[in-house]
Amino acid sequence: MALGSIRLRKEILLYLLSVYNNKTLNSLLSDFENLEKNKWMSNEDIFRFFVSLFNKIS
């Protein structure tokens, strides 16, 4: 996936997290980012998780 696409999706995710303003969700993203840095999870995995979560919330 192109770096620009990842950056855009990350900005959208951060915006949505700011709308919900939930410490647990922000902490979860931070934990997922640590997993991604260790190659245990991809950016795509993170985005898919949050898409699924937001679909259940709304």
Side-chain angles (χ1 to χ4, degrees):
M1 187 176 295
L3 184 58
S5 175
I6 291 171
R7 191 175 307 132
L8 178 61
R9 292 171 84 181
K10 178 74 180 267
E11 287 180 28
I12 293 168
L13 176 56
L14 291 174
Y15 170 75
L16 289 171
L17 289 174
S18 74
V19 168
Y20 284 99
N21 194 24
N22 182 294
K23 289 181 185 179
T24 301
L25 294 179
N26 290 325
S27 177
L28 188 56
L29 176 59
S30 179
D31 291 342
F32 283 170
E33 288 174 332
N34 286 330
L35 290 173
E36 190 272 328
K37 285 177 189 172
N38 290 308
K39 307 292 184 207
W40 292 7
M41 196 170 198
S42 70
N43 283 312
E44 187 63 32
D45 295 330
I46 296 169
F47 297 137
R48 273 195 222 123
F49 172 84
F50 279 103
V51 166
S52 176
L53 180 69
F54 290 138
N55 281 331
K56 290 177 184 178
I57 291 173
S58 47

